[in-house]
Amino acid sequence: MKNEFTRRRFLTAVSVGSIGAIVAQAIPSFGKPISTKADKLAILGGSPVRTKDWPKWPSMIVDDKMLESITNTTKSGIWSRIQSPSGTVVTFEKEYAKLMGTKYCVGTGSGTQALATCVEAMGIGPGDEVITSPYTDFGTISAILTSRALPVLADLDRASFQLDPADVAKKINKNTKAIIPVHMMGMPCDMQSIMALAKKHNLRVIEDACQANFARYQGKQLGTIGEVGCFSFQASKQISCGEGGAIIGSDEALMDRCYTVQNHGTDRKGSNVTIGPKYRMNEFEGAILLGQLPGAKERFNLRNENAKYLASKLKGFKGLVPQKQYAGTESGGYYHYAMSYHKEHFKNADRSKFLKAIGAEGVKLSPYIAKGLHGEPWVEHILGLPEYKEMYTAARLQQYRQELKCPNCDAVVNEEMVILSGVNSLLGTKQDMDDVINAIMKVYDNRDKLAAI
């Protein structure tokens, strides 16, 4: 394994074209990673591996087609979806459903709104519980709270950063109505196990696939495995319009309810039939999305190609381990390329020192979510609300507080998680990917210097 790892590092040096690096890395080292300690860390006064800027997102995808789409919408005077049965939002919904291999799509103003719409459309509300991840954007939690249900947080699988089905199983009780698995970084959860739990306990499944456009698992598009799937088109996402979201599904009746909820409770016939906010996507968002859909799949494929390349270079390296993929994973959204940092292989240097060192080399790696949601102030806020005290027994709320322990999530957040922005960086060239690997290895080879940072 170590000899193969050394061979790949030699090939990386060849691809970058640095003769000095080739010579340094070609010398055998009895199966150990080759040292390049002569290359002084940039943060300590050496030359950085990379000085070139990374592509800027989303400005890098703005082209004449997108601008034309926005201009045409502006001139048309049709700025709301309710003004036209064939406007940009309706057109986008049809095109996106087709791309995702599902029957129906309902556009919303954000991914959070998409999730909240599904919770309400499924009749989940006061007294009900929904199990989800502590490692996600707060929008996932907010979507449950909007309907005054109780978000129950299960711990992570530490290597995949996804919900651990074994811990989910422990959290199911008679009040549990649904599971919201979150496909973190756009990579599939262990959906086989989650769907088995849902079937056993008669639970609804809403996929939070906000980071997972086009990703596939066991022959299916993420978002089509549960009853509905929710996506985000926020400015940082792989398909972007500033703010925006979508729900996909093939159950016509459920999707009609989703449409009605997001349309302030008004159905397609114009009858005001239920409770609902106004979560409609507007025509300008639809125009921006339509302007970039033609290249979206090509960008998705390039991210996957570069992600596989990085994984091949890191194979066998124990210092940074790529995000675990479950059996049946065919592709990922790669919102970020995520790795676990293991400091014991970097002379026990804290993650922050590693990140400072590699940042100085011109490769920006970072942590992701700063704190697990089980430790945020919203918990005590809702537990103190009169409505939650009325809807749930004192014993249940006390148990809830006591069970909000997610040690795996804490380790991921505080010590291990390292990401390379996937949405833009993974659209680079192979030489860009080699810069990432060479920067990692330069820091590794100088790991005994990290304490001085």
Side-chain angles (χ1 to χ4, degrees):
M1 180 66 77
K2 289 183 179 178
N3 285 327
E4 172 61 15
F5 178 60
T6 300
R7 184 186 72 84
R8 280 194 303 277
R9 291 189 60 194
F10 171 72
L11 293 177
T12 297
V14 171
S15 70
V16 175
S18 169
I19 300 301
I22 294 173
V23 173
Q25 296 189 35
I27 302 171
S29 185
F30 304 104
K32 297 180 180 179
I34 301 300
S35 175
T36 55
K37 293 191 178 184
D39 297 330
K40 191 176 184 180
L41 287 175
I43 199 169
L44 298 178
S47 298
V49 168
R50 179 185 176 90
T51 57
K52 180 182 174 183
D53 288 338
W54 292 94
K56 304 297 183 184
W57 186 267
S59 56
M60 64 180 290
I61 60 169
V62 176
D63 58 13
D64 290 342
K65 185 175 181 64
M66 184 185 293
L67 294 175
E68 181 183 7
S69 180
I70 297 167
T71 300
N72 289 342
T73 296
T74 304
K75 291 179 177 179
S76 74
I78 299 171
W79 294 359
S80 170
R81 72 167 294 158
I82 63 171
Q83 291 179 266
S84 171
S86 58
T88 62
V89 175
V90 172
T91 304
F92 170 75
E93 288 171 341
K94 291 177 181 177
E95 291 299 314
Y96 192 65
K98 190 186 304 180
L99 278 172
M100 303 296 270
T102 191
K103 289 183 179 180
Y104 309 105
C105 172
V106 173
T108 61
S110 69
T112 300
Q113 292 177 6
L115 289 161
T117 295
C118 293
V119 172
E120 187 67 28
M122 289 181 173
I124 297 168
D128 296 334
E129 301 186 12
V130 179
I131 300 174
T132 192
S133 173
Y135 194 67
T136 180
D137 181 83
F138 188 61
T140 311
I141 304 297
S142 178
I144 300 166
L145 295 174
T146 298
S147 291
R148 297 300 187 266
L150 186 66
V152 175
L153 305 183
D155 206 358
L156 308 181
D157 174 278
R158 197 159 159 178
S160 70
F161 323 127
Q162 313 281 17
L163 269 180
D164 178 2
D167 202 44
V168 172
K170 295 176 184 177
K171 301 296 176 69
I172 295 171
N173 62 41
K174 61 183 179 62
N175 294 320
T176 307
K177 294 297 185 292
I179 305 172
I180 302 183
V182 184
H183 301 298
M184 287 305 297
M185 317 301 170
M187 301 305 295
C189 291
D190 182 0
M191 287 303 292
Q192 182 172 321
S193 297
I194 288 171
M195 293 306 292
L197 282 172
K199 183 178 180 180
K200 178 180 178 181
H201 298 280
N202 193 29
L203 302 177
R204 318 297 292 265
V205 176
I206 301 168
E207 290 181 73
D208 183 339
C210 285
Q211 301 178 354
N213 287 284
F214 306 133
R216 296 184 66 82
Y217 170 84
Q218 295 186 353
K220 295 180 179 180
Q221 157 69 46
L222 293 188
T224 68
I225 302 169
E227 291 178 81
V228 285
C230 297
F231 296 82
S232 170
F233 310 125
Q234 187 263 351
S236 69
K237 297 302 193 296
Q238 305 94 318
I239 300 175
S240 172
C241 63
E243 295 288 353
I247 305 161
I248 63 171
S250 293
D251 183 325
E252 184 176 10
L254 177 55
M255 291 299 291
D256 274 345
R257 288 197 296 276
C258 287
Y259 174 87
T260 299
V261 168
Q262 64 85 42
N263 192 37
H264 56 46
T266 304
D267 66 17
R268 294 184 187 275
K269 297 178 181 179
S271 296
N272 305 310
V273 297
T274 189
I275 298 168
K278 187 192 283 187
Y279 284 161
R280 295 195 298 247
M281 177 182 283
N282 68 58
E283 290 291 290
F284 292 101
E285 291 170 330
I288 295 172
L289 293 170
L290 283 174
Q292 68 190 270
L293 276 188
K297 201 65 177 286
E298 182 181 349
R299 289 188 287 273
F300 166 81
N301 289 333
L302 179 56
R303 289 187 187 100
N304 274 268
E305 180 183 336
N306 279 330
K308 288 180 181 178
Y309 182 78
L310 289 175
S312 72
K313 296 294 183 180
L314 289 169
K315 187 176 182 180
F317 180 54
K318 295 180 180 180
L320 273 181
V321 179
Q323 181 179 11
K324 168 184 165 182
Q325 297 185 13
Y326 290 101
T329 297
E330 298 171 16
S331 57
Y334 287 108
Y335 178 59
H336 295 307
Y337 186 81
M339 299 163 280
S340 292
Y341 174 73
H342 296 287
K343 67 180 182 180
E344 63 271 24
H345 297 286
F346 284 87
K347 296 284 186 177
N348 284 317
D350 186 77
R351 180 182 60 178
S352 63
K353 293 182 180 292
F354 167 78
L355 292 176
K356 286 178 183 177
I358 199 165
E361 300 298 336
V363 173
K364 182 174 174 53
L365 301 184
S366 68
Y368 184 37
I369 294 171
K371 193 173 184 180
L373 292 176
H374 58 293
E376 290 280 54
W378 69 271
V379 174
E380 290 305 319
H381 172 70
I382 69 161
L383 294 181
L385 291 175
E387 53 266 47
Y388 275 85
K389 290 180 179 179
E390 184 174 340
M391 292 183 300
Y392 303 90
T393 67
R396 175 61 185 119
L397 294 182
Q398 180 62 21
Q399 178 191 31
Y400 179 78
R401 182 184 279 107
Q402 292 172 346
E403 290 181 350
L404 273 177
K405 295 180 178 65
C406 299
N408 287 345
C409 180
D410 291 336
V412 167
V413 168
N414 298 326
E415 304 169 24
E416 297 174 356
M417 169 64 73
V418 170
I419 61 166
L420 172 73
S421 175
V423 70
N424 64 320
S425 300
L426 288 181
L427 294 180
T429 64
K430 285 294 185 292
Q431 181 162 339
D432 292 328
M433 300 305 104
D434 286 337
D435 284 346
V436 174
I437 296 299
N438 288 335
I440 290 170
M441 296 312 159
K442 182 180 177 183
V443 174
Y444 174 78
D445 288 339
N446 288 274
R447 60 196 179 278
D448 57 335
K449 306 293 194 304
L450 292 178
I453 296 174

